[in-house]
Structures are given as structure tokens and as C-alpha cells.
């Protein structure tokens, strides 16, 4: 019997799900991430693999990994990080926006303070590579990688390979299938020492290589078990949701708020933090052909709620809220200044006042305000040419809150349902499964 493993590295933890050829879940593993460093990621990856029952590991056919979008690091040829890792929500790229806007075409998805390209330019302007490390990479090479790229490398051993989902905000053009000349010509003069290798880009879910002998021996994986190109955590959540038709969308209500609308047309507009990912079979049924997953990510979301309430308080207070009554409070809930979508402003201040007398009223205002931001996001996507919204699936912890769901449905004015599977790791497992040409897609409609 064959099994397929998806591993998700999110904002607060890592998860692994193994499925069989019928896409049925066989086992689930979790690992909390209190810190976000390459060392903690590696520990989490190996721990998750060890949690998978050995009888499943011995029959593992394929593995795929997703990571947080635009979490990046610089490595030498051995995969050893040689500079500070920069996380998905780190907006230090605002200091290089002048260079970024000079290099990239107007309204490109990479024009954002948190994009992979902004972080690459930040590395160029703020050289944090120590002399000894520079001497090493000057002869062996320096590699710019995303989180999912590096974690996959630990398993297959081939440095410098990524997928066109993770590479979109680096400047890679998924429509034509190569790095544009403006990117290659623009970054070269900025690196005075060593120009990093940009990753070789492949289709998400495509086979990269078999697990190394070391990984195979350590975790009792068969030598024919191969590692697939991964994706981002939000796209993995979309794949897990069950959405397959144009007009269907997925809202991920995790620490942040991420919107993904499946569209026949590509929509990109950096003014509002909007970008489109190419979505091809095997991610979708073959009859659909190429579609575009358009959307954006806001820094509002569950992390703001957890700043004020425990899980128990969220449940108890939500039950006291009438979701049919609109809250008069007009918040813009953020932990720190800055948002990406639907307002792309790295200096946007949080708005959390006035504070009402009762916690339930305050929570009502927060839930209502996040729902308002979500609705504005979908409205903006459609105004700019995306397919008309007809169904929203919800993933993430917020999917479990019926009060919030009712509030959101009032704003969105379409049916809001919980995703068929709310774990991003399940979507990544589907990528691994669909990479096997001997398996018929069990979820095709």
C-alpha cells in the first residue's frame, strides 16, 4: 500500500498528514513552533517524520512541504544558513522600496515591503555575512531560498530548487516560465561581493528527487520515496478546502487573514497587495486547465484576537454576540503598524479604540471589523477583474467560530462553509499524491 505525506510549516506550528491513494487521512502529527529559526524548523521536520508510524513510513511514496510565503534565507552550497533568516511578516524591506520600485515594473506582486525580492535587496544593502562565511561562499556559491525550499533540500539534498508559488514574490513570471530580464539585470549591480543563485523553478507538486540515503536510513523511508516541489501554506490550505471551480474562494482565518479566489483571469495590483498564483493540474482537475488563484494577505486576524482573549474566552464571549446585529465599532485590528491587503501600507496604524465597557462588545467589534476587511478584499478583487465570487470556504482556527461565520456571511453575501479539510498539510499531501501518475485523482468532480 502506498502513502503520501504533506508537511505544513505555518506561523505558529508545523503539521504532517499522511494519506493513502484514496486521499483518506491515515495519521496526523503536530509540532509547536515557539521560535522561527532554521534550527527549530529542522527539529520540527525530523520530529514530525518520527511521529509518523514506521509501517506508514516504510510504504511512503512521496513527500511535499509547504512553508510561509516570503520567509527566506541565504545558504552556502551545503545548505548552511550564512545570514539572518527573514520571516514572512518582516517589513524591513520598506527600507529598500526605492530600489525595488526602480527595478520592478509598476504594480508587480514583488513590490511589497514583505516580498521575497524586497528581502533579497535588503540582504544586498545590509551585508550581514561574516568574513569567514563570505570567504566560504565566494568559492562554493551563495543560494537564496524560501523556507519550503530549504526544508525540502534537507530531504532530497539538491540545493537551489523552488516552485513557482513560492517564487512569485521573488519576481519569477509563472505565465511565461522564467525570471524576467528586469530582475536579473536589476539585482546584479546591488551585490558587491557575491550574487546569490536564484532558485531553479519547477511546477508545484513535480518530482524533484528521491530522499537521500541518509534520510532514508534515519527514518526508514524506502529508497524510491521521492520529494515533490512544495507550495506556500495559504495555497496548501486552498488545495485542502475542496474548492475547484472558478468563483470559489478560501479565506484562511489563522494568525493572519488570507484570501484566495479561483479566477479565470489573472489579477495583479501592487497598490493593494493583490497578486495571482498560477494553478495547474495536478493541483486542479485536468478539465479546468490553467486558472489563477488571486488574492492577498492581511496582517489582521487571529493573532490580534489572541492578544486580548484566550481560546476559552473567545468561545464563551462569541456565544454572547448576536451576529445579525452590526457592531458600531470601526476598528482596523493589527498587532503592529502596517498591512499588506486590501490596504498596502507598511505604516498603517492599528485602530483599536474606543474600547467598550464589556469584553463581548469589544470582541464583537473585532470580529465585525475583520469581516469588513475580508469583504472589502473580495470586493476589490472583483472590481479589478477576478471571477465573480460565488462560494467561500473557511480554513484555519476561525473556521470553528459559528458566530464569526455568521457575521462574515452577512458581509460577503454568499454561502460561507467550512473547508472540506482545514489543515494545510492535507493540501500539501494532495500535491504529493497527485504527483504519482499511477493514481487517479480521487477528488476530481
Amino acid at each position: 500500500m502506498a502513502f503520501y505525506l504533506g508537511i505544513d510549516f505555518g506561523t505558529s506550528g508545523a503539521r504532517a498528514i499522511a494519506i493513502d491513494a484514496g486521499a483518506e487521512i491515515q495519521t496526523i502529527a503536530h509540532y509547536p513552533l515557539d521560535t522561527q529559526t532554521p534550527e527549530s524548523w529542522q527539529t520540527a521536520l525530523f520530529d514530525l517524520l518520527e511521529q509518523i508510524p514506521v509501517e506508514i513510513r516504510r510504504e511512503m511514496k512521496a513527500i511535499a512541504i509547504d512553508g510561509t510565503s516570503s520567509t527566506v534565507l541565504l545558504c552556502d552550497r551545503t545548505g548552511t544558513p550564512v545570514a539572518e533568516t527573514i520571516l514572512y511578516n518582516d517589513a524591513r524591506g520598506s527600507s529598500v522600496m526605492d530600489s525595488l520600485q526602480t527595478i520592478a515594473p509598476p504594480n508587480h506582486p514583488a513590490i511589497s515591503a514583505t516580498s521575497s525580492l524586497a528581502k533579497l535587496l535588503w540582504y544586498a544593502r545590509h551585508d550581514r555575512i561574516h568574513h569567514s562565511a563570505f570567504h566560504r561562499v565566494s568559492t562554493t556559491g551563495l543560494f537564496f531560498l524560501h523556507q519550503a525550499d530549504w526544508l525540502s533540500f534537507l530531504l532530497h539534498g539538491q540545493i537551489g530548487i523552488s516552485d513557482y508559488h513560492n517564487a512569485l514574490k521573488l519576481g519569477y513570471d509563472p505565465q511565461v516560465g522564467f525570471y524576467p530580464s528586469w530582475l536579473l539585470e536589476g539585482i546584479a549591480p546591488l551585490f558587491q561581493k557575491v550574487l546569490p543563485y536564484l532558485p531553479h523553478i519547477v511546477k508545484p507538486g513535480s518530482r524533484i528527487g528521491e530522499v537521500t540515503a541518509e534520510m532514508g536510513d534515519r527514518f526508514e523511508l524506502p529508497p524510491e520515496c521521492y520529494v515533490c516541489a512544495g507550495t506556500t501554506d495559504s495555497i496548501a490550505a486552498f488545495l485542502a478546502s475542496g474548492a475547484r471551480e472558478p468563483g470559489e474562494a478560501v479565506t484562511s482565518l489563522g494568525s493572519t487573514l488570507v484570501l484566495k479566489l479561483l479566477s479565470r483571469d489573472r489579477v495583479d495590483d501592487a497598490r493593494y497587495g493583490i497578486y495571482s498564483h498560477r494553478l495547474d493540474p495536478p493541483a486542479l482537475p485536468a478539465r479546468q486547465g490553467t486558472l489563477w488563484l488571486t488574492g492577498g494577505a492581511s496582517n489582521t486576524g487571529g493573532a490580534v484576537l489572541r492578544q486580548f482573549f484566550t481560546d476559552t474566552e473567545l468561545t464563551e464571549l462569541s456565544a454572547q454576540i448576536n451576529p445579525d446585529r452590526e457592531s458600531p465599532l470601526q476598528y482596523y485590528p493589527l498587532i503592529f503598524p502596517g498591512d499588506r491587503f486590501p490596504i498596502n501600507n507598511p505604516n498603517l496604524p492599528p485602530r483599536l479604540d474606543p474600547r467598550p465597557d464589556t469584553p463581548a462588545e469589544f470582541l464583537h467589534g473585532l470580529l465585525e471589523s475583520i469581516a469588513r476587511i475580508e469583504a472589502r478584499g473580495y470586493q476589490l478583487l472583483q472590481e479589478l477583474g477576478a471571477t465573480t465570487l460565488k462560494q467561500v470556504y473557511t480554513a484555519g482556527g476561525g473556521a470553528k467560530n459559528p458566530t464569526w461565520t455568521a457575521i462574515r456571511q452577512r458581509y460577503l453575501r454568499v454561502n460561507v462553509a467550512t473547508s472540506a479539510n482545514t489543515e494545510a498539510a492535507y493540501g500539501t499531501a494532495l500535491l504529493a499524491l497527485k504527483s504519482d501518475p499511477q493514481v487517479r485523482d480521487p477528488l476530481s468532480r
Side-chain angles (χ1 to χ4, degrees):
M1 190 172 185
F3 299 101
Y4 305 85
L5 184 64
I7 303 177
D8 162 54
F9 276 77
T11 56
S12 60
R15 300 161 185 82
I17 292 179
I19 61 176
D20 61 20
E24 295 294 328
I25 296 175
Q26 299 301 305
T27 189
I28 301 176
H30 301 268
Y31 190 92
L33 284 172
D34 298 325
T35 60
Q36 290 280 355
T37 65
E39 294 78 14
S40 65
W41 302 340
Q42 178 173 305
T43 298
L45 174 63
F46 291 169
D47 187 275
L48 289 172
L49 287 170
E50 289 172 347
Q51 289 185 52
I52 304 301
V54 67
E55 60 269 20
I56 292 179
R57 278 184 271 152
R58 288 171 178 166
E59 301 295 330
M60 195 68 67
K61 191 72 175 290
I63 301 172
I65 301 175
D66 73 71
T68 48
S69 178
S70 295
T71 292
V72 300
L73 60 168
L74 284 174
C75 300
D76 64 17
R77 187 171 293 276
T78 70
T80 302
V82 297
E84 180 182 3
T85 298
I86 307 180
L87 300 182
Y88 66 98
N89 59 348
D90 191 315
R92 71 181 71 186
S94 59
S95 67
V96 297
M97 289 298 290
D98 53 344
S99 297
L100 184 55
Q101 291 170 337
T102 299
I103 293 172
N107 292 332
H108 194 277
I111 302 178
S112 168
T114 59
S115 73
S116 299
L117 183 54
K119 291 161 185 170
L120 178 63
L121 299 186
W122 188 91
Y123 279 132
R125 186 175 290 185
H126 302 81
D127 182 7
R128 298 296 181 87
I129 304 173
H130 298 298
H131 178 75
S132 59
F134 166 68
H135 178 73
R136 181 172 70 252
V137 301
S138 66
T139 56
T140 63
L142 183 64
F143 294 82
F144 183 78
L145 300 176
H146 301 90
Q147 180 186 36
D149 311 338
W150 185 77
L151 288 162
S152 298
F153 157 77
L154 296 180
L155 299 182
H156 59 63
Q158 300 181 43
I159 193 73
I161 300 177
S162 188
D163 63 272
Y164 58 61
H165 290 162
N166 273 292
L168 179 71
K169 295 181 188 177
L170 179 56
Y172 184 84
D173 190 335
Q175 194 154 21
V176 298
F178 54 73
Y179 289 111
S181 57
W182 62 259
L183 172 64
L184 302 175
E185 294 170 0
I187 64 173
L190 302 178
F191 283 86
Q192 299 179 1
K193 296 180 178 179
V194 178
L195 178 65
Y197 289 106
L198 300 184
H200 172 69
I201 306 302
V202 298
K203 181 179 178 180
S206 58
R207 299 187 185 191
I208 296 178
E210 296 170 341
V211 295
T212 64
E214 178 187 358
M215 292 294 101
D217 291 342
R218 178 170 179 173
F219 298 107
E220 298 190 54
L221 297 167
E224 63 272 16
C225 174
Y226 55 86
V227 181
C228 302
T231 183
T232 66
D233 57 342
S234 60
I235 294 181
F238 182 92
L239 298 177
S241 70
R244 296 290 185 274
E245 303 288 336
E248 294 183 329
V250 173
T251 295
S252 295
L253 292 174
S255 299
T256 57
L257 174 72
V258 182
L259 276 55
K260 300 289 184 185
L261 171 61
L262 196 57
S263 175
R264 294 183 180 89
D265 299 305
R266 180 179 182 177
V267 178
D268 293 313
D269 199 321
R271 293 174 303 168
Y272 305 107
I274 293 172
Y275 53 92
S276 292
H277 285 283
R278 179 171 178 164
L279 210 59
D280 291 306
L284 290 172
R287 63 181 173 81
Q288 290 286 13
T290 296
L291 295 174
W292 295 92
L293 197 55
T294 184
S298 171
N299 291 334
T300 193
V304 183
L305 301 180
R306 292 181 185 279
Q307 187 178 27
F308 299 103
F309 304 104
T310 66
D311 288 346
T312 300
E313 288 171 335
L314 286 172
T315 300
E316 294 175 349
L317 294 173
S318 293
Q320 301 174 30
I321 295 171
N322 178 1
D324 297 325
R325 181 179 65 85
E326 182 177 354
S327 169
L329 298 168
Q330 299 283 327
Y331 295 146
Y332 204 104
L334 298 169
I335 296 179
F336 304 108
D339 203 9
R340 301 170 281 170
F341 167 82
I343 300 174
N344 189 13
N345 179 356
N347 300 312
L348 184 71
R351 190 165 68 242
L352 295 165
D353 293 316
R355 185 78 173 262
D357 294 333
T358 68
E361 288 183 78
F362 182 45
L363 177 59
H364 190 183
L366 292 173
L367 297 180
E368 191 99 17
S369 298
I370 296 173
R372 194 178 299 115
I373 293 169
E374 177 189 8
R376 176 54 187 153
Y378 281 122
Q379 179 185 3
L380 188 57
L381 295 176
Q382 294 166 91
E383 289 174 356
L384 294 173
T387 299
T388 300
L389 182 70
K390 64 181 183 182
Q391 166 83 36
V392 174
Y393 295 90
T394 309
K400 302 173 185 177
N401 189 320
T403 301
W404 201 0
T405 299
I407 292 172
R408 293 171 51 234
Q409 187 158 304
R410 171 159 49 84
Y411 277 95
L412 294 171
R413 299 181 181 179
V414 298
N415 185 54
V416 177
T418 301
S419 295
N421 193 298
T422 60
E423 292 280 5
Y426 181 77
T428 311
L430 289 178
L431 267 187
L433 167 64
K434 294 176 182 181
S435 69
D436 188 344
Q438 298 179 344
V439 176
R440 181 180 177 275
D441 182 2
L443 300 182
S444 60
R445 296 176 184 171

